[in-house]
Amino acid sequence: MVSKVIFRGTTVVGVEYLPTAGGKASTAYAAMEVILAAGALNTPKILQLSGVGSKLLQKHKIPVVVDLPGVGSNLQDQLTLKVPYTASSNLFPNSGSIANNATYAAEQRALYDTKKQGAYTIKIVSNARAASAPYSLSTEVDATVLAGYTAQRKLILEQYESGKTGIGSLHWNTAEGVTIYMNKPLSRGAVTINSTNPLENPLVNYRAVTDPADIEVLTALFRKNRELMSAPDMAALGVAEAAPFGEHITADSELASAFREAIDPSNAHQCRTAAMMPRALGGVVSSEQKVYGVKGLRVADISYWPFQISGAPTVTMYASGERLADAIKKEYKLAEYKR
């Protein structure tokens, strides 16, 4: 695993790496540049260990190569809320049948193995504007990061109002519950190193639902889900909300308390901890995904995203990779550039 980027002055010349179980460090030198693709949690960790980051580095006595407070800041993810349901008259089969019915599972496995068929083939804006922008940020947030978040928050609220952007989604798995996804949360977390040991995981603070607007959006999504699950067609299945929810919980304050106990702050869609934004707004990389203030270093992974899209990130990341590949080929004339 890569432990840090090697600098000669402010120019990147290679990387240091070592076995994941620990041991002797080795060095690999770059002929042109280094491209980081360690993900939204580990890319900022590598940058910080290399001297690219904020005043946090002084705490760990790491020499600062370039001061970029945006590194590790503004962590965003798509949190999820599981709403358990029971169904006294559910249809058979459903998504729980394979896990709970050994006979059915064996039959379906045999059908899949022989014919590739069967179950195994199942492939609030005004309040938010009135609130203080840094409400969900650390009190020690850098002024540039705050400025960038304020601008970004304005854009997301405009998306809320447009009616053209999906800010949440609902998924019933046909068995034990519904998952509510928040695609565009306003709350922001942070990723920071905990020591100079590259084998130690970084500290991740999601700060989920610290922005009050997120609770309002989650409440709206929950109430829409409750409306759908009480529709006549669903009533025929005998579905009922289970703990920690239930039809007796109706007040917004009661729902908010239940949300805080039940939410999962991560759907493994972490992004924007090395955001592509102007440096004055807390950005870390340019439109060419080059790290500000240094030479020969780019970020290719999802940490460069300015903010979340309205769905899973995989396909968009494939497109991002193609975009970056084209930019590199064009700059270094590695192949005929036709796009």
Side-chain angles (χ1 to χ4, degrees):
M1 63 171 287
V2 172
S3 54
K4 66 179 180 179
V5 174
I6 300 172
F7 284 97
R8 185 174 295 144
T10 57
T11 299
V12 174
V13 295
V15 296
E16 179 184 278
Y17 64 97
L18 68 167
T20 54
K24 184 179 179 181
S26 301
T27 301
Y29 290 98
M32 295 181 178
E33 62 180 58
V34 169
I35 301 173
L36 283 182
L41 301 184
N42 285 307
T43 284
K45 168 188 152 184
I46 294 171
L47 289 172
Q48 291 167 358
L49 289 173
S50 306
V52 180
S54 65
K55 59 185 179 182
L56 161 77
L57 305 183
Q58 299 172 2
K59 171 184 174 182
H60 298 286
K61 299 181 180 179
I62 298 174
V64 177
V65 177
V66 59
D67 180 24
L68 283 180
V71 174
S73 298
N74 278 314
L75 171 66
Q76 187 181 30
D77 205 329
Q78 296 174 325
L79 66 84
T80 62
L81 174 70
K82 303 287 186 181
V83 184
Y85 279 87
T86 60
S88 59
S89 302
N90 202 0
L91 298 177
F92 179 88
N94 57 62
S95 68
S97 300
I98 289 177
N100 301 323
N101 188 317
T103 301
Y104 175 74
E107 291 173 349
Q108 293 301 306
R109 184 68 207 193
L111 183 60
Y112 176 79
D113 289 341
T114 56
K115 299 182 178 181
K116 296 296 185 288
Q117 298 176 355
Y120 280 92
T121 61
I122 295 175
K123 319 267 183 277
I124 313 201
V125 175
S126 60
N127 287 343
R129 282 206 174 102
S132 172
Y135 195 95
S136 74
L137 302 181
S138 165
T139 56
E140 300 178 354
V141 64
D142 183 84
T144 60
V145 174
L146 174 58
Y149 173 69
T150 301
Q152 185 192 74
R153 193 172 189 273
K154 179 177 181 292
L155 291 175
I156 293 178
L157 291 178
E158 289 173 359
Q159 290 180 338
Y160 280 14
E161 285 185 312
S162 72
K164 299 178 181 179
T165 301
I167 63 173
S169 54
L170 313 173
H171 173 247
W172 179 47
N173 65 10
T174 73
E176 73 278 1
V178 168
T179 300
I180 297 175
Y181 299 91
M182 275 196 70
N183 296 337
K184 296 273 187 178
L186 294 172
S187 301
R188 292 292 184 274
V191 179
T192 57
I193 55 174
N194 193 33
S195 74
T196 57
N197 180 4
L199 298 178
E200 185 174 340
N201 289 328
L203 297 175
V204 181
N205 183 355
Y206 287 98
R207 295 181 60 81
V209 297
T210 50
D211 190 307
D214 286 346
I215 288 290
E216 293 187 55
V217 173
L218 196 55
T219 300
L221 290 169
F222 182 89
R223 292 195 183 281
K224 173 56 68 173
N225 173 71
R226 183 173 274 179
E227 174 188 332
L228 294 174
M229 294 301 284
S230 62
D233 287 346
M234 296 303 297
L237 303 179
V239 296
E241 278 182 31
F245 302 102
E247 295 178 1
H248 63 287
I249 300 179
T250 58
D252 286 354
S253 59
E254 294 177 308
L255 289 173
S257 296
F259 295 160
R260 294 182 190 282
E261 295 296 324
I263 62 169
D264 183 340
S266 174
N267 195 29
H269 293 171
Q270 303 95 339
C271 70
R272 72 171 326 279
T273 50
M276 179 193 288
M277 295 173 64
R279 187 172 179 179
L281 296 181
V284 176
V285 301
S286 68
S287 60
E288 297 171 325
Q289 294 171 244
K290 295 181 178 181
V291 176
Y292 292 126
V294 301
K295 295 181 180 179
L297 182 61
R298 299 191 208 227
V299 172
D301 60 70
I302 196 172
S303 60
Y304 91 85
W305 281 19
F307 51 73
Q308 284 284 7
I309 58 174
S310 295
T314 306
V315 173
T316 306
M317 273 308 305
Y318 289 151
S320 293
E322 292 289 343
R323 174 188 178 277
L324 180 57
D326 283 346
I328 293 171
K329 287 188 291 185
K330 182 179 181 181
E331 179 172 343
Y332 292 105
K333 297 179 174 59
L334 299 179
E336 184 179 357
Y337 183 77
K338 298 180 179 179
R339 299 189 187 185

